[in-house]
Amino acid sequence: MADHEVPSRTRRRSALGTTLALAVLASFGLYGAARILVPPADAATPSPTHRQDPAGTTRDAPVPPGRWTVRTLAPGVEVRTGVITNAGAHHSWTVAVSARATGRVTGAKTWAAVGSRDWAGTTARDLRTAGFRPRVETVLWPRYSDTPQGEMGRRVRVGSYGTEAAAARAAARVRAAGFHADTTWTGYDVEEPADRQNVHVVVVDPRKFTGTVTGTYDGDVARPEKVSAVARKTGSLVGVNGGFFVDHSEGGRVGTPAAVGAEHGRLEAMAVGSRAALVLGDGGRRARVTDLTTVVTVRAGAAGRQAQGINRVPGTARNCGRPGGVPSALPWQGVICRLPDDMVVFTPSYKAPLPTGPGLQVVLDASGRVVSRGPRGGSVPARGQVLQGLGTAADWLRAHAPAGAPLTVDRTIRDAQGRRVVLGPDDSIVSAAPTLVSGGRIAIDAATEGCLDPADLSLGYVWSAVRQPRTMAGVDARGRLILATVDGRRAGGSEGFTFYESAVFMRSLGAVDALNLDGGGSSAIAVKGALANRPSDAVGERRVGGSIQVLPAAAR
């Protein structure tokens, strides 16, 4: 699959040596006195409030302190809510013209927000000929550890409008002239500081907190649920959304995990290549961030066959990242890969009807003995497992799994150092991407973890390098768990973070290791069962595939 690989996809955790802006929350005692500065945005076109010196080093412009409130929910659990504002920021609605693109992984025709210098020049000329007054803006690469530096490309925009409706009318005129155009808010750009960012931060101190922190699917990996609903059901003090999940039927069963996940010490979803994960050991008392890989092997005596999935639709891998996947075995965010010779294990946590279709199904009892073999479908026994195979995987099951035969299903999890991760009953795992902070330094490996493709700006640029709603998790040097959300997409006026701003923010809170969790419309935080933020979806809080819940001792 070399033709689909990002150049130098070898994992790198290099130090970036950047000057960091602190958004220090003094009430947590994470550093010294409170000092809030604009996070160094992803270094694009210089502006009066986001300027570069001749060497290209971004300088950070101070902003007035935000408004903060603090709630102590239990000994060792605090929630701080803040509004970071910048009175000097001035944004508007504008019309963004997109460049034609071809997805490098999928081969599909699509559009990109950033194009080449030649495309920008030609498009601007054609717009002027059509009677518009375009502007061309240079976009620089974010300061990630595994992407190029310098100029990324150019974008083309038209006009500046006080309302979205006015920009929409202008965009319609641009489209009528033959261009692909839509509206955007300039506050999403990194060239200027955001004028408003609504932030929630949770700090859990395991030395003081007597409850537990767990990643949970609420007992059913195949049923998405709102964070606030799970929080009310479990009686949690605070909950945030967790990792990636299947969000539309083309990618499989909606709600099922699309990244490695474990609950109550049981592996419920396999890793997508090697990606960042939050391991909540001993009920959250030993939290850490590390890259995880998984191997699942089905054995029949001396014979063995690797399964490539747990609790997902066979043949369909959301976010790719599995050997044998087409078009790529590498992780690619949002891309659906096909596996023609796939084997998937289903656990009792998969409570939906099992997938049907071609292939073979084997049902195991609690001891691992084959109790039935035949067409796919039905349900998972309460204390058993189900194996479904396609192609050569189905052939292997026919040859090695007759009725009454004993099978074993071995699950192996390894961390970034290759060490085996053994889960206990109070351990859970939540995963997304990419890594934000590693060893106390900003180390965003967005390309390595498939969140951005330097050779295809239609994949991941808007998600990674444009301000969006975010949920983040990290651990500080004292072992405290830090969970944070920022609203975005102008929900309540908040503009969100880029990946880089997320990393700066988490590091400023004291995180020595941190990762990005699911974001966008999935970003949600519930405090004592009540939704505390403003999710970006027009219909409100989204049902998500899993969450992280901070449970008091009584709930444990």
Side-chain angles (χ1 to χ4, degrees), residues 321-531:
R322 297 308 311 169
V326 178
S328 177
L330 297 170
W332 292 101
Q333 185 63 22
V335 176
I336 298 169
C337 281
R338 306 297 177 184
L339 291 90
D341 301 302
D342 195 16
M343 185 185 292
V344 175
V345 179
F346 292 88
T347 74
S349 292
Y350 191 97
K351 291 184 168 55
L354 287 164
T356 59
L360 183 69
Q361 175 172 294
V362 170
V363 180
L364 308 179
D365 64 15
S367 68
R369 192 168 298 276
V370 177
V371 297
S372 69
R373 189 177 81 170
R376 294 166 54 204
S379 59
V380 182
R383 297 183 61 202
Q385 299 180 86
V386 172
L387 310 177
Q388 290 191 348
L390 303 179
T392 59
D395 296 339
W396 189 91
L397 289 172
R398 289 188 184 94
H400 297 94
L407 299 183
T408 60
V409 181
D410 296 331
R411 298 163 170 83
T412 301
I413 309 170
R414 295 195 183 276
D415 64 15
Q417 289 72 43
R419 298 172 301 204
R420 185 163 184 171
V421 178
V422 179
L423 299 178
D426 289 332
D427 299 343
S428 56
I429 296 173
V430 178
S431 175
T435 298
L436 299 174
V437 180
S438 180
R441 297 179 180 273
I442 293 179
I444 305 169
D445 57 350
T448 300
E449 297 199 39
C451 302
L452 178 73
D453 184 356
D456 176 12
L457 297 182
S458 69
L459 194 155
Y461 163 74
V462 172
W463 179 50
S464 70
V466 173
R467 290 189 178 111
Q468 301 281 1
R470 308 280 182 191
T471 302
M472 302 143 278
V475 180
D476 72 6
R478 293 162 59 183
R480 290 180 294 184
L481 175 66
I482 303 170
L483 304 171
T485 65
V486 59
D487 289 348
R489 296 178 186 162
R490 222 154 191 267
S494 182
E495 292 159 332
F497 287 160
T498 65
F499 279 168
Y500 195 86
E501 289 174 324
S502 298
V504 168
F505 187 71
M506 291 301 289
R507 189 179 184 277
S508 75
L509 297 175
V512 293
D513 296 295
L515 78 156
N516 178 69
L517 294 175
D518 197 10
S522 297
S523 283
I525 178 170
V527 178
K528 292 191 173 181
L531 184 67

Side-chain angles (χ1 to χ4, degrees), residues 8-23:
S8 301
R9 289 290 296 271
T10 304
R11 184 165 302 277
R12 288 176 288 176
R13 302 293 194 195
S14 60
L16 301 186
T18 54
T19 56
L20 298 176
L22 300 181

Side-chain angles (χ1 to χ4, degrees), residues 139-152:
V139 179
L140 302 185
W141 280 102
R143 286 172 286 175
Y144 300 158
S145 63
D146 58 358
T147 55
Q149 301 299 302
E151 184 175 323
M152 174 190 289

